[in-house]
Amino acid sequence: LSGDPDPEVRTAAAANIADFAAKLDGQTVVGQVLPVLRELSQGGDEAGVLGNQQVREHIAEQACALAPVLGKDAALNELLPLVKLFLADEQIEIKRKTLRSVAPLVETLGGDGTDAHLLPEVLAMAQDQQWRVRHSIVETMAVYAQHLGMELFNSRLKEVQERALADSVAQIRGQAVLNLSALYTKFGERWLRDQLLPGVLEAAKSTGGASYLRRITALQAVGQLAGVMAGPVVAQELVTQVAVPLSRDKVANVRIAAADALTKCLACLASENQSFVKESIHPVLNDLTQDSDADVKFFAQQALAS
């Protein structure tokens, strides 16, 4: 069916590659499945037997799922060249689907194998002009952290995470903020305070141009970290050094983000440090209820009512 002249049939067959291969042994996948995938992965006439766009997208999305069936050596020698072909494809969606589905391949190759044979391509794409490609890499940051370990992550991918927090595209910044919780879970509070929190504190003080976006991202990071970091860190660093100063920002959207961050910090600290909440958070929110901007007032009132 994967060689059927009808593109719709080939597309349906390609969509089930991973489930089909999971029922086979590695030798069969290498000898009978991968050759077909290589052929279908070539660009071709929509009406021809070679792969059309949808078929190629399905293969790109599922190719990495074959890695556990193949094992490390076969994944490295037989599957990885196909994956790299997709990563170099001119079609953005092919690149994206490959990047977003790397977890089984990374797990199979292990930290050292991934570092030596896959990361060079990934890192080269981390500054791609197409923001969707960059976003796909940032989406899988937790996967690399899980399998590379702290030392390799610091030397290879920490900079990518830091750049993502300052990216010009909101979706990338938002995903980088979401990554903070997973990175905290994997590497711990001390690592996050030493490696990433200084960048958040710096972003909170950024000025000029569109710097207000970086200040908003810093506040979103505060809200994300408030749910995982220890109370003293939330109070002394996130609230005192970021949220409170930015509650007086000249940009209304920053003040809205500050109100939201303070709300999340309040929820974290309410049961363990009521005096700090009463002395340092409530007064700031009360001031924001008198803000000249109606939206700022609304969010501050909502925070106090929560």
Side-chain angles (χ1 to χ4, degrees):
L1 292 178
S2 61
D4 195 278
D6 189 332
E8 292 186 4
V9 175
R10 298 201 304 276
T11 299
N16 291 285
I17 290 168
D19 290 340
F20 174 67
K23 297 176 173 61
L24 305 175
D25 59 83
Q27 186 175 357
T28 302
V29 172
V30 169
Q32 298 185 38
V33 177
L34 282 178
V36 176
L37 298 188
R38 293 189 191 101
E39 182 179 3
L40 289 174
S41 298
Q42 302 175 51
D45 188 335
E46 183 76 15
V49 178
L50 294 179
N52 60 28
Q53 178 72 5
Q54 286 184 313
V55 171
R56 296 174 70 241
E57 286 183 12
H58 280 305
I59 297 172
E61 189 171 31
Q62 299 192 51
C64 292
L66 304 183
V69 178
L70 296 173
K72 183 174 181 178
D73 289 343
L76 182 62
N77 297 318
E78 305 291 343
L79 179 62
L80 189 59
L82 178 62
V83 172
K84 289 185 176 183
L85 189 67
F86 285 136
L87 293 178
D89 198 275
E90 62 182 17
Q91 297 293 331
I92 295 173
E93 200 59 28
I94 297 290
K95 294 179 180 180
R96 290 186 66 242
K97 287 183 180 295
T98 307
L99 287 166
R100 297 175 70 183
S101 60
V102 296
L105 179 60
V106 172
E107 182 176 0
T108 301
L109 295 179
D112 290 338
T114 298
D115 181 42
H117 302 288
L118 179 62
L119 271 187
E121 283 75 14
V122 172
L123 291 173
M125 300 170 72
Q127 299 190 62
D128 197 280
Q129 292 184 349
Q130 293 290 342
W131 73 266
R132 289 178 178 84
V133 173
R134 302 196 306 276
H135 184 259
S136 298
I137 293 172
V138 177
E139 277 186 303
T140 53
M141 200 64 65
V143 172
Y144 294 111
Q146 180 67 34
H147 297 288
L148 291 179
M150 185 184 297
E151 184 176 345
L152 275 178
F153 186 89
N154 283 349
S155 64
R156 305 289 267 162
L157 285 166
K158 181 173 75 75
E159 184 180 347
V160 177
Q161 168 67 19
E162 290 174 328
R163 282 202 310 268
L165 286 168
D167 198 278
S168 60
V169 177
Q171 289 91 329
I172 295 178
R173 297 194 304 273
Q175 181 60 54
V177 168
L178 292 177
N179 287 347
L180 295 174
S181 294
L183 294 174
Y184 172 89
T185 300
K186 175 59 182 175
F187 297 138
E189 184 171 293
R190 181 175 179 179
W191 177 87
L192 196 141
R193 290 184 70 183
D194 291 344
Q195 301 295 333
L196 294 183
L197 192 55
V200 173
L201 299 177
E202 180 183 352
K205 300 175 183 177
S206 57
T207 59
S211 60
Y212 76 95
L213 295 174
R214 293 196 66 198
R215 300 197 297 277
I216 289 175
T217 301
L219 287 162
Q220 292 170 339
V222 167
Q224 187 72 21
L225 293 173
V228 296
M229 297 193 83
V233 178
V234 174
Q236 296 164 16
E237 300 189 46
L238 303 184
V239 173
T240 304
Q241 298 186 47
V242 181
V244 170
L246 291 182
S247 70
R248 300 185 290 270
D249 197 276
K250 63 181 180 180
V251 179
N253 283 349
V254 177
R255 300 197 300 276
I256 290 172
D260 182 63
L262 286 168
T263 302
K264 292 171 180 173
C265 292
L266 187 155
C268 166
L269 296 170
S271 61
E272 62 177 275
N273 198 341
Q274 292 184 0
S275 62
F276 180 84
V277 169
K278 190 173 295 185
E279 295 170 7
S280 300
I281 296 181
H282 280 164
V284 177
L285 290 172
N286 280 321
D287 288 344
L288 290 175
T289 63
Q290 306 303 314
D291 196 275
S292 58
D293 185 272
D295 290 331
V296 175
K297 293 170 66 173
F298 171 78
F299 282 102
Q301 290 166 353
Q302 290 289 102
L304 288 170
S306 62

